[in-house]
């Protein structure tokens, strides 16, 4: 992945002096080099552990970086959450998420500025870092995030939906919402006509996730919304929600 990023640019990313501009840059960052640059007093044993983890997935390395900072007494998330590097701000997310002494409500409060970060990657790390807490208590998380659907920031409204998706590319699945997605209907209803495409995509993806295990429920919701929500936003959400089910129907019909 690093070969797709210019050498000089990669040096700046690894030094922590700039933020990435796209996913390829995010994935190209050498975490060991970045950790050495931003936390040079870390023990060499910690640096060796990060170098040894180079072949692991990025979510594992994000969590490891946060753990190494915490072990070295540098685990105060506020110290890192305004750093120029989006990767370092992502470590701050994992410092918050990995705090075994904090309740989910406190973690969400601490995560708000990172969930509203200007960088797309940090906003994703913000919910991924809380995913284990959310999987462990999905109904509590749902209740805590329902008010976020009314926030002025589109980032926070999206976070409320994205953090609770039944599935997800890099995320542990939420078994309850895969089998009983109706629990989240009040949250989805609150965002059913959201004017921001960034939020609409998340709502559509949430329903598309649910459709893989509860297709009838998703079809029923979309059919009802078609008669009760006349906005262009909802039309777009419904189309996105049904895309996998429609492809499946076309595929079956072609047999």
């Amino acid at each position: 992945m690093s070969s797709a990023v210019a050498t000089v640019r990669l040096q700046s990313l690894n030094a922590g002096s700039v933020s990435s501009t796209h996913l390829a840059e995010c994935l190209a960052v050498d975490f060991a080099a970045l950790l050495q640059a931003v936390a040079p007093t870390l023990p060499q044993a910690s640096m060796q552990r990060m170098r040894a983890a180079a072949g692991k997935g990025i979510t594992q390395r994000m969590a490891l970086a946060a753990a190494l900072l915490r072990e070295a007494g540098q685990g105060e998330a506020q110290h890192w959450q305004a750093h120029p590097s989006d990767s370092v701000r992502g470590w701050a997310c994992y410092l918050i998420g990995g705090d075994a002494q904090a309740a989910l409500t406190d973690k969400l409060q601490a995560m708000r500025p990172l969930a509203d970060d200007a960088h797309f990657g940090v906003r994703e790390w913000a919910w991924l870092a809380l995913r284990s807490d959310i999987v462990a208590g999905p109904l509590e998380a749902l209740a805590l995030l329902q008010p976020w659907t009314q926030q002025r920031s589109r980032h926070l409204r999206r976070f409320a939906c994205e953090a609770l998706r039944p599935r997800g590319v890099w995320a542990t699945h939420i078994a309850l919402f895969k089998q009983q997605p109706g629990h989240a209907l009040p949250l989805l209803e609150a965002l059913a006509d959201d004017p921001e495409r960034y939020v609409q995509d998340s709502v559509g993806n949430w329903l598309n996730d649910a459709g893989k295990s509860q297709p009838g429920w998703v079809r029923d919701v979309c059919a009802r919304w078609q008669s009760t929500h006349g906005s262009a936003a909802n039309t777009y959400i419904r189309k996105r929600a049904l895309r996998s089910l429609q492809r499946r129907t076309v595929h079956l019909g072609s047999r």
Side-chain angles (χ1 to χ4, degrees):
M1 186 64 70
S2 61
S3 62
V5 181
T7 300
V8 174
R9 176 66 178 169
L10 187 57
Q11 289 173 344
S12 297
L13 289 165
N14 289 341
S17 58
V18 297
S19 278
S20 64
T21 55
H22 50 74
L23 182 59
E25 288 189 347
C26 291
L27 298 176
V29 173
D30 181 334
F31 276 25
L34 179 58
L35 197 60
Q36 180 71 62
V38 305
T41 62
L42 252 61
Q44 282 305 305
S46 297
M47 299 305 306
Q48 182 55 38
R49 285 172 63 191
M50 181 55 77
R51 284 190 287 269
K56 294 186 176 181
I58 189 169
T59 55
Q60 292 175 282
R61 287 182 286 126
M62 293 293 292
L64 176 59
L68 294 175
L69 289 171
R70 190 188 305 281
E71 290 170 10
Q74 300 184 46
E76 179 56 55
Q78 289 184 339
H79 176 73
W80 304 107
Q81 68 185 44
H83 196 278
S85 166
D86 60 287
S87 294
V88 175
R89 299 202 300 280
W91 299 348
C93 294
Y94 276 85
L95 283 167
I96 293 169
D99 185 350
Q101 306 304 314
L104 179 56
T105 183
D106 297 322
K107 290 183 181 184
L108 283 169
Q109 184 61 32
M111 197 71 81
R112 278 179 70 104
L114 292 156
D116 202 21
D117 195 275
H119 192 276
F120 66 93
V122 178
R123 297 194 298 270
E124 295 302 303
W125 295 127
W127 70 263
L128 282 165
L130 294 178
R131 186 67 169 189
S132 60
D133 294 79
I134 292 169
V135 169
L139 295 181
E140 178 193 8
L142 177 63
L144 291 170
L145 286 170
Q146 183 74 37
W148 288 42
T149 64
Q150 304 304 313
Q151 295 298 308
R152 178 171 297 182
S153 168
R154 64 182 179 133
H155 298 155
L156 297 181
R157 299 198 305 276
R158 176 186 167 95
F159 182 97
C161 184
E162 198 72 9
L164 295 166
R165 279 181 60 178
R167 298 171 185 263
V169 179
W170 291 348
T172 304
H173 293 184
I174 302 177
L176 178 65
F177 294 160
K178 286 169 62 176
Q179 297 307 318
Q180 300 178 47
H183 285 293
L185 189 56
L187 182 138
L188 299 172
E189 288 278 7
L191 300 172
D193 296 296
D194 196 281
E196 295 286 348
R197 183 56 55 90
Y198 189 59
V199 181
Q200 295 166 17
D201 282 342
S202 184
V203 178
N205 289 341
W206 203 109
L207 289 164
N208 186 66
D209 282 356
K212 293 172 183 177
S213 50
Q214 297 295 331
W217 181 83
V218 172
R219 288 194 180 97
D220 288 346
V221 169
C222 288
R224 181 168 55 77
W225 279 5
Q226 186 171 5
S227 62
T228 58
H229 295 269
S231 67
N234 192 261
T235 299
Y236 175 85
I237 289 170
R238 283 185 276 111
K239 181 178 180 180
R240 192 168 185 85
L242 293 169
R243 66 188 188 276
S244 294
L245 292 177
Q246 290 173 339
R247 283 199 295 267
R248 187 189 308 174
T249 300
V250 170
H251 175 71
L252 291 174
S254 65
R255 288 183 178 181

